[in-house]
């Protein structure tokens, strides 16, 4: 926002922020990156997610695709930011593109199916068309059976989550 009424947006660290609030902390340390573009915010999110011990493959795939689609980044740039090979970024981005064509329920169900793994995504990525990749992802859900289908009812959006606007103290 304008200097006289600045708006802060949480770019990453949602889990830490929620845990801090739940613990009753009134203040937490934050890093103010100043005005940044969508591409810069996405790149920060990717770097943060890749630093986690075990980011979910759906999160990785979608974030790589969003960096290309919304951030205008090349796969080589993403590989550098994520500390991954260009090949890894290429196949995960191709799957991320297909994930974004699925319904919210299907995307949410991918988080709960054990078949949504990097090795499975590596086999889906080379399929020639976006539609073939999306159908292969739906097949993963079919393989998971009724348990995964039941979980689709309350499925969340892709884990980008809500945008949280913070005041200058770091709280809403």
């Amino acid at each position: 926002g304008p200097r006289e009424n600045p708006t802060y947006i949480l770019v990453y660290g949602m889990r830490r922020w929620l845990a801090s609030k739940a613990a009753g902390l009134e203040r937490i340390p934050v890093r103010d990156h100043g005005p940044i573009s969508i591409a810069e915010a996405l790149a920060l999110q990717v770097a943060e997610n890749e630093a986690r011990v075990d980011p979910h493959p759906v999160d990785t795939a979608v974030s790589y695709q969003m960096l290309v689609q919304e951030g205008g980044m090349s796969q080589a740039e993403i590989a550098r930011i994520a500390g991954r090979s260009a090949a890894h970024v290429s196949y995960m981005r191709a799957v991320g593109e297909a994930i974004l064509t699925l319904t919210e329920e299907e995307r949410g169900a991918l988080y709960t199916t054990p078949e949504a793994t990097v090795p499975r995504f590596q086999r889906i990525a080379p399929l020639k068309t976006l539609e073939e990749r999306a159908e292969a992802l739906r097949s993963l859900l079919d393989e998971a059976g009724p348990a995964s289908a039941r979980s689709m009812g309350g499925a969340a959006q892709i884990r980008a989550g809500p945008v949280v606007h913070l005041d200058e103290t770091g709280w809403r």
Side-chain angles (χ1 to χ4, degrees):
R3 286 189 188 274
E4 59 276 355
N5 188 14
T7 301
Y8 295 87
I9 298 175
L10 184 63
V11 174
Y12 59 85
M14 177 67 79
R15 289 178 192 90
R16 288 186 295 268
W17 178 68
L18 292 173
S20 298
K21 282 186 72 171
L25 298 178
E26 292 184 23
R27 304 196 113 188
I28 59 172
V30 297
R31 178 174 290 141
D32 183 350
H33 291 281
I36 60 174
S37 68
I38 290 173
E40 291 167 320
L42 289 168
L44 287 167
Q45 289 173 349
V46 166
E48 175 75 7
N49 284 342
E50 292 295 330
R52 286 197 326 235
V53 173
D54 192 19
H56 197 285
V58 172
D59 289 335
T60 301
V62 169
S63 64
Y64 290 176
Q65 174 57 21
M66 294 300 292
L67 280 171
V68 169
Q69 183 178 311
E70 300 294 327
M73 294 184 123
S74 71
Q75 291 180 169
E77 290 172 302
I78 298 166
R80 184 185 51 74
I81 289 167
R84 300 291 189 147
S85 71
H88 174 82
V89 171
S90 177
Y91 66 73
M92 292 299 281
R93 189 216 49 82
V95 174
E97 181 183 30
I99 290 170
L100 291 173
T101 69
L102 301 177
T103 66
E104 284 185 32
E105 289 181 329
E106 290 168 329
R107 291 190 305 256
L110 282 174
Y111 285 104
T112 62
T113 182
E115 285 79 13
T117 64
V118 172
R120 288 297 295 267
F121 286 3
Q122 286 174 315
R123 291 195 295 274
I124 291 171
L127 296 174
K128 291 193 187 304
T129 68
L130 179 59
E131 293 76 23
E132 288 175 313
R133 292 191 301 274
E135 193 52 43
L137 289 167
R138 288 186 187 97
S139 294
L140 287 181
L141 297 175
D142 292 341
E143 288 174 31
S148 183
R150 278 195 304 275
S151 71
M152 287 171 64
Q157 293 181 356
I158 290 295
R159 288 190 185 180
V163 172
V164 177
H165 295 276
L166 306 176
D167 65 19
E168 59 280 349
T169 66
W171 298 101
R172 283 188 213 223

